[in-house]
Amino acid sequence: MRHWKTNSGLVWDSLSRAVQQVHLCCTEGLLEWLYPSKALRVILQPNLVNGKYSTVCIKPTSEFQGANMYVEKKGQLLLLPGEAGGVWKVHCFEMDKMQRVALFLQASPQKDLSRRTAGFHYEVLNNGHSGPLFHNSDHAQDSCRPCNDKELLMAICRNDFVVRGSIKSITHDVEAHVTQIDINTIKVYRQRSSIFQLDDASGIWAGHIRTFLQCGVKQGDGDFLFTGTEHFGNAWLQCAPRVKDFLEIYQAAKHLRTNPCNFQI
């Protein structure tokens, strides 16, 4: 479920010291606080049917201004760092025993009423499949590991996107520790959002996929089957076998009746 919520500081009683509290109950969404005034406490407490989701990740919007953001940890407020080089970092937090994360937004003093918006996107993730959003060396190394046959077959069935295509170019962003893979897509089998777009002029699908810089991705010829997850509007790579290798793995699993789903390529 997705949630979009907008609040405005202009409607508050200027004499009140009360902190307005907002509850967000969906597994992903966007909150926008227009004309920030005083403070806003945001409780991210999604309605979960099971306990597999245990992490919340937030990403401030590109136009975030007019407030400071804190996360509540054991009764203390920890300030989240602002943008670096014009880019806001994604922050991820473990949910507490009540399966929630509490954020505190405090408005900055303003001398005028010009429009400011303090907003952020959020996603609730499964720790075992949280993609690239935990920027630490251990998780990055795990993400760089090639998928085994079982992981590949499950990725084809469950991942946010599955596309067949070739590598057009590779760009390395040293500061962000990210590699971007631009691909020409022959076939889009599945995508959760519209990351891969069809060029009406050429009739070719195109898009780009991210991965960790330290994975050392290099240009490769031929057709690949790219699979992965989508986070905050970006596609992140999980498995990318060559098509001929995938066909061998899939046909062998199908013969043994161990393939978790049917897939037509």
Side-chain angles (χ1 to χ4, degrees), residues 3-126:
H3 194 139
W4 285 264
K5 188 171 183 64
T6 301
N7 279 62
S8 175
L10 295 181
V11 300
W12 292 8
D13 183 353
S14 61
L15 299 179
S16 173
R17 294 186 177 182
V19 175
Q20 185 174 1
Q21 187 158 283
V22 176
H23 285 263
L24 301 179
C25 300
C26 294
T27 53
E28 62 179 296
L30 165 68
L31 180 138
E32 292 183 318
W33 188 19
L34 308 180
Y35 303 100
S37 175
K38 295 183 174 53
L40 187 69
R41 188 169 185 258
V42 183
I43 307 297
L44 302 174
Q45 191 170 21
N47 295 322
L48 304 176
V49 295
N50 53 52
K52 69 177 182 177
Y53 296 96
S54 56
T55 301
V56 172
C57 291
I58 65 169
K59 181 181 181 181
T61 56
S62 57
E63 66 274 10
F64 187 103
Q65 58 178 326
N68 291 318
M69 188 184 303
Y70 302 80
V71 61
E72 294 184 12
K73 288 286 187 179
K74 298 180 179 179
Q76 296 184 333
L77 295 178
L78 303 178
L79 177 65
L80 301 183
E83 61 181 341
V87 178
W88 283 96
K89 183 181 178 181
V90 172
H91 300 279
C92 297
F93 313 100
E94 298 293 322
M95 287 194 282
D96 60 22
K97 294 180 180 179
M98 299 176 65
Q99 286 193 309
R100 70 176 190 178
V101 168
L103 303 173
F104 186 82
L105 280 70
Q106 184 177 37
S108 306
Q110 306 294 340
K111 296 182 180 180
D112 57 69
L113 289 177
S114 59
R115 178 174 176 133
R116 293 176 177 83
T117 302
F120 63 86
H121 301 268
Y122 73 93
E123 292 183 356
V124 182
L125 304 174
N126 175 357

Side-chain angles (χ1 to χ4, degrees), residues 143-198:
S143 297
C144 295
R145 176 182 57 82
C147 296
N148 58 38
D149 292 358
K150 182 178 179 180
E151 291 170 335
L152 173 57
L153 292 171
M154 291 303 298
I156 296 300
C157 299
R158 296 184 177 181
N159 274 9
D160 292 337
F161 67 87
V162 180
V163 300
R164 176 181 178 177
S166 59
I167 299 175
K168 180 181 179 181
S169 63
I170 292 178
T171 305
H172 302 294
D173 188 334
V174 177
E175 292 186 0
H177 306 287
V178 167
T179 292
Q180 178 171 297
I181 308 167
D182 291 297
I183 66 172
N184 286 328
T185 307
I186 298 173
K187 174 74 173 178
V188 176
Y189 295 97
R190 181 172 65 252
Q191 61 174 329
R192 184 162 63 90
S193 303
S194 300
I195 291 178
F196 302 94
Q197 297 282 338
L198 178 64

